């Protein structure tokens, strides 16, 4: 999974560089002016340092973004997002495979990104985020049945902090952004959530489009 996302990022990067070299392409919007935009996209998330070795599952996010230039080579981009994270893994009863469980954690997330402009259409993106838990649920499936359930939010940490790194490609009316989120805080703190997810932290890859309003 990590190799697939990495190759996709390289492909978009070289596409942007090639377009600039071949046609003199430069963004229509100015990276040196403030711009408000809307952003959305898919993401693949999982837990790391968890006791049952979770796998990636697909989610999504949507929200707003504000591009704020600080100089010719650097700018801030605060965002506010609704995002669904989580992970999936197999669970066992009496050492026998019983099925797959998928945890779904819903957050309001506030990334603060630093855009470092290169001499091409490519930006290097670094930053951090704070997420605020809204809801938590799960679904599971076995060879015989499927089910769905709500989780007790009080068993989870309300705030999720993490780091962000990625690559942005400036387009005529916006930006394509590929980034990796690395959580720094445990997602569970007590009860059944802690029993399943002791020490687990969020992480994942996302691909998004930011459409700037003019």
């Amino acid at each position: 999974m990590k190799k697939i996302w990495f190759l996709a990022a390289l492909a978009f990067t070289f596409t942007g560089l090639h377009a600039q070299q071949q046609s003199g392409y430069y963004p229509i919007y100015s990276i040196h002016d403030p711009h408000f935009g809307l952003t959305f996209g898919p993401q693949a998330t999982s837990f790391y340092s968890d006791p049952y070795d979770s796998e990636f599952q697909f989610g999504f996010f949507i929200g707003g973004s504000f591009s704020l230039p600080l100089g010719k080579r650097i700018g801030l981009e605060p965002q506010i997002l609704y995002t669904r994270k989580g992970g999936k893994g197999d669970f066992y009863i009496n050492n026998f495979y019983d099925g797959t469980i998928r945890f779904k954690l819903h957050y309001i997330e506030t990334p603060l990104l630093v855009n470092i402009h290169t001499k091409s259409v490519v930006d290097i993106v670094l930053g951090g985020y704070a997420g605020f838990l809204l809801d938590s649920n799960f679904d599971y499936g076995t060879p015989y049945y499927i089910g769905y359930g709500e989780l007790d939010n009080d068993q989870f940490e309300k705030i999720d902090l993490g780091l962000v790194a990625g690559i942005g490609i400036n387009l005529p009316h916006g930006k394509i952004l590929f980034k990796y989120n690395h959580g720094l805080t445990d997602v569970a703190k007590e009860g059944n959530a802690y029993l399943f997810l002791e020490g687990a932290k969020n992480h994942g890859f996302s691909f998004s489009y930011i459409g700037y309003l003019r």
Side-chain angles (χ1 to χ4, degrees), residues 125-208:
V125 180
L126 301 171
Y129 72 86
F132 305 90
L133 184 67
L134 296 177
D135 192 20
S136 55
N137 51 61
F138 69 95
D139 61 56
Y140 60 91
T142 75
Y144 312 105
Y145 59 88
I146 59 175
Y148 172 87
E150 294 289 334
L151 296 170
D152 186 352
N153 284 358
D154 291 335
Q155 296 182 3
F156 290 86
E157 296 290 350
K158 296 298 189 297
I159 297 179
D160 179 40
L161 302 176
L163 302 175
V164 181
I167 294 174
I169 299 176
N170 295 305
L171 300 175
H173 304 291
K175 178 186 291 184
I176 290 175
L177 183 60
F178 170 85
K179 66 180 187 289
Y180 169 69
N181 294 339
H182 185 82
L184 299 176
T185 56
D186 293 351
V187 299
K189 65 178 181 179
E190 62 185 32
N192 291 330
Y194 187 79
L195 181 65
F196 274 100
L197 299 172
E198 177 183 357
K201 299 175 178 62
N202 285 310
H203 76 139
F205 299 88
S206 65
F207 173 81
S208 63

Side-chain angles (χ1 to χ4, degrees), residues 1-11 178 205:
M1 175 65 73
K2 292 183 179 180
K3 292 181 179 179
I4 293 174
W5 286 96
F6 178 72
L7 291 174
L10 288 179
F178 170 85
F205 299 88

Side-chain angles (χ1 to χ4, degrees), residues 78-136:
Q79 299 179 329
I80 182 167
L81 309 172
Y82 163 77
T83 178
R84 195 191 78 184
K85 297 183 176 181
K88 67 177 180 179
D90 298 333
F91 66 92
Y92 298 82
I93 298 178
N94 296 327
N95 294 322
F96 290 99
Y97 169 74
D98 197 53
T100 300
I101 186 169
R102 297 176 177 85
F103 293 95
K104 300 175 182 179
L105 305 179
H106 306 259
Y107 293 93
I108 289 292
E109 195 167 276
T110 56
L112 179 59
L113 307 179
V114 177
N115 295 318
I116 303 171
H117 309 308
T118 66
K119 293 183 178 181
S120 68
V121 296
V122 178
D123 286 351
I124 297 171
V125 180
L126 301 171
Y129 72 86
F132 305 90
L133 184 67
L134 296 177
D135 192 20
S136 55

Side-chain angles (χ1 to χ4, degrees), residues 8-21 25 121-122 169:
L10 288 179
F12 280 109
T13 300
F14 286 122
T15 298
L17 291 172
H18 179 74
Q20 182 191 30
Q21 293 172 352
Y25 168 92
V121 296
V122 178
I169 299 176

